[in-house]
Amino acid sequence: MKRRDLLKSGLVGLGGVAAASTLSAPAIAKGRMEINMVSTWPRDFPGLGTGAQRFAKRLTDMSDGRIEVNYFAGGEPLMLGADYYRSVMAIQEKHCADTSLRIEHAMQSNLTLFTEDFVEIFRKMGIGQIGTSFDPEPHMRGGGADIDSELYNRKFFRGFNLAGRHGFMAGIIYVVTKKSITRAMDVFYYLTNLKLKGEFNMNPVLIYDEERQHIALSPEEYVEFLGEIFPVWWEHRDRYPDLEPFRSLVNTIINGQVSLGCVDSGNCAFNHINVGPDGETSQCGRSADWNILPYGNIHDHSIADILADEQRSLLMNRNDVLINGECSDCRFWSICHGGCPLDAWSKHKDFMHKTEWCYARKGFIEKYFETITGVRFTPGPCNEVKSR
């Protein structure tokens, strides 16, 4: 089988999305038109991405809300439709019959797009959980000048409830912003009252443009947000769902079961590949967004060649630079490793620095985790990294 043939046949659905920004056929009801606008660029991508977002907003504003444009950035897998995933499985069954047990599928997308059409094919793919973002705060997600969050939430819960009825777990990713730091417990109770079958994550917002600095928060503010919630979660942790980053810290510090995400593992150099819609590869989704760490086109390079690209040694050498420099006296090195290299690059344009978000991990553990649990983190032989 030729890689080029596989990519051509496997990305038929994606090819339609890759053509810059496109508008779907509108849904019209009572004089109001609703249009989905699909972009190949990530949300807030400078120039092309932000231009598409502004166009969508202006079209809604100029029509006084009669035309509502739902903007979907690149990276919304459910926009491809169920037929795309059927073609993926057909290719897998044809070409990977002997290795299918080594292939796992995962899904993270916007649940407003989930329909009955995905149920059967997702089950066939072995997908049991759908990761999705959700914001309880008003006017954080939605269409129109006022960001109609009520309409957005109705669509979200329609997809959320549909997924639940068919046995799919929903893993919620909640992004902590400046707007939410004074309402930590409100957010916590809201999300736990959803009775999630999966876990939920509370991740800090990462803002790289000036337009949305009003929702940016500092590592110190993120620590205080987590610190308000942690005592309640810790006391009733058997009742509440798994919540990150709390659960992984309990497993790592108390249970001695170290399982670190790519951000903290210091081990991402040789086990990640991002493949774009045109076959261009890079380290990860963020590196592709920023056009750094390109590894060539998968049509022209084998996976072995891509994994052996000499640029990857930069990421591996970063560990030696940091442990002998900025992180030399940090007792949390084995569970942090200076944070994500991409975060370091965004601030310094250089991978060889720790990130400002190192404080979030260190500060939360020292100020809240160790104080409340009574367990002090002591690095030792058990802290061997196992990426997840």
Side-chain angles (χ1 to χ4, degrees):
M1 176 187 64
K2 295 181 179 179
R3 291 189 303 276
R4 189 176 298 275
D5 293 339
L6 175 62
L7 265 293
K8 283 182 178 179
S9 55
L11 294 178
V12 171
L14 195 55
V17 180
S21 298
T22 59
L23 295 176
S24 68
I28 303 173
K30 297 183 179 179
R32 182 174 170 274
M33 182 182 298
E34 186 174 345
I35 303 173
N36 288 335
M37 180 180 184
V38 188
S39 166
T40 187
W41 307 292
R43 184 171 292 276
D44 302 318
F45 184 74
L48 299 174
T50 55
Q53 289 169 239
R54 284 194 295 270
F55 173 77
K57 180 178 182 300
R58 287 171 181 169
L59 188 57
T60 300
D61 294 346
M62 291 172 64
S63 66
D64 293 326
R66 291 191 299 275
I67 301 176
E68 180 174 343
V69 182
N70 300 315
Y71 174 80
F72 291 96
E76 290 293 357
L78 291 180
M79 288 297 297
L80 297 172
D83 284 343
Y84 171 80
Y85 296 101
R86 294 185 185 105
S87 69
V88 168
M89 285 304 295
I91 293 170
Q92 178 177 315
E93 290 167 352
K94 179 179 179 180
H95 298 290
C96 307
D98 296 333
T99 57
S100 61
L101 294 179
R102 294 163 50 191
I103 300 173
E104 295 182 1
H105 299 280
M107 174 60 59
Q108 180 175 318
S109 192
N110 192 316
L111 274 180
T112 63
L113 303 169
F114 187 76
T115 66
E116 293 273 0
D117 204 25
F118 291 101
V119 172
E120 182 180 352
I121 186 60
F122 279 10
R123 284 176 176 162
K124 187 175 182 180
M125 296 173 74
I127 295 173
Q129 175 169 307
I130 302 172
T132 190
S133 296
F134 181 66
D135 297 279
E137 292 87 3
H139 311 300
M140 286 296 292
R141 291 176 181 265
D146 296 329
I147 309 179
D148 189 348
S149 52
E150 290 188 11
L151 177 61
Y152 179 90
N153 288 348
R154 287 199 296 272
K155 294 180 179 179
F156 176 87
F157 283 113
R158 179 185 62 198
F160 178 85
N161 292 331
L162 176 63
R165 286 199 300 273
H166 287 286
F168 293 97
M169 296 188 294
I172 298 290
I173 301 169
Y174 174 73
V175 180
V176 184
T177 70
K178 180 78 77 174
K179 289 187 175 183
S180 54
I181 56 176
T182 60
R183 303 184 59 194
M185 295 311 302
D186 290 340
V187 171
F188 173 72
Y189 288 130
Y190 187 103
L191 293 177
T192 54
N193 284 338
L194 292 179
K195 297 182 179 178
L196 299 174
K197 295 180 180 178
E199 65 178 27
F200 68 93
N201 294 33
M202 292 188 167
N203 298 337
V205 66
L206 301 175
I207 301 293
Y208 304 107
D209 59 72
E210 295 299 323
E211 187 175 341
R212 298 193 303 158
Q213 285 299 316
H214 64 286
I215 64 170
L217 79 163
S218 68
E220 292 79 8
E221 289 172 321
Y222 179 58
V223 167
E224 296 308 311
F225 179 91
L226 296 178
E228 186 174 346
I229 295 172
F230 184 67
V232 178
W233 181 87
W234 173 252
E235 183 178 357
H236 305 289
R237 58 193 179 280
D238 294 332
R239 185 176 77 195
Y240 289 126
D242 283 352
L243 194 165
E244 292 294 347
F246 301 158
R247 176 57 65 187
S248 61
L249 288 175
V250 169
N251 287 338
T252 297
I253 297 175
I254 297 178
N255 300 333
Q257 301 169 352
V258 181
S259 179
L260 304 177
C262 63
V263 170
D264 304 307
S265 72
N267 194 32
C268 68
F270 296 104
N271 55 21
H272 285 70
I273 301 176
N274 180 80
V275 183
D278 55 359
E280 290 298 324
T281 67
S282 60
Q283 178 66 23
C284 62
R286 293 174 71 190
S287 67
D289 293 347
W290 298 343
N291 197 29
I292 58 176
L293 297 174
Y295 299 142
N297 198 291
I298 200 167
H299 293 155
D300 308 313
H301 300 274
S302 69
I303 291 178
D305 289 340
I306 292 168
L307 286 172
D309 191 290
E310 61 181 12
Q311 295 178 87
R312 293 178 180 270
S313 63
L314 289 172
L315 302 181
M316 209 65 212
N317 292 341
R318 179 175 183 259
N319 287 344
D320 292 333
V321 171
L322 293 184
I323 193 61
N324 291 299
E326 295 177 358
C327 303
S328 60
D329 60 349
C330 181
R331 68 184 172 101
F332 301 105
W333 165 257
S334 62
I335 59 171
C336 176
H337 299 91
C340 176
L342 274 296
D343 284 333
W345 186 90
S346 71
K347 186 173 182 64
H348 303 285
K349 298 299 181 283
D350 185 350
F351 298 119
M352 303 304 168
H353 293 278
K354 67 179 182 180
T355 80
E356 61 181 326
W357 290 98
C358 283
Y359 172 77
R361 197 163 184 82
K362 176 182 178 181
F364 172 73
I365 294 174
E366 289 183 329
K367 187 173 182 179
Y368 292 104
F369 189 93
E370 292 179 333
T371 301
I372 292 168
T373 65
V375 178
R376 176 179 169 82
F377 172 71
T378 303
C382 67
N383 299 137
E384 296 177 357
V385 174
K386 179 179 70 174
S387 273
R388 58 175 169 82

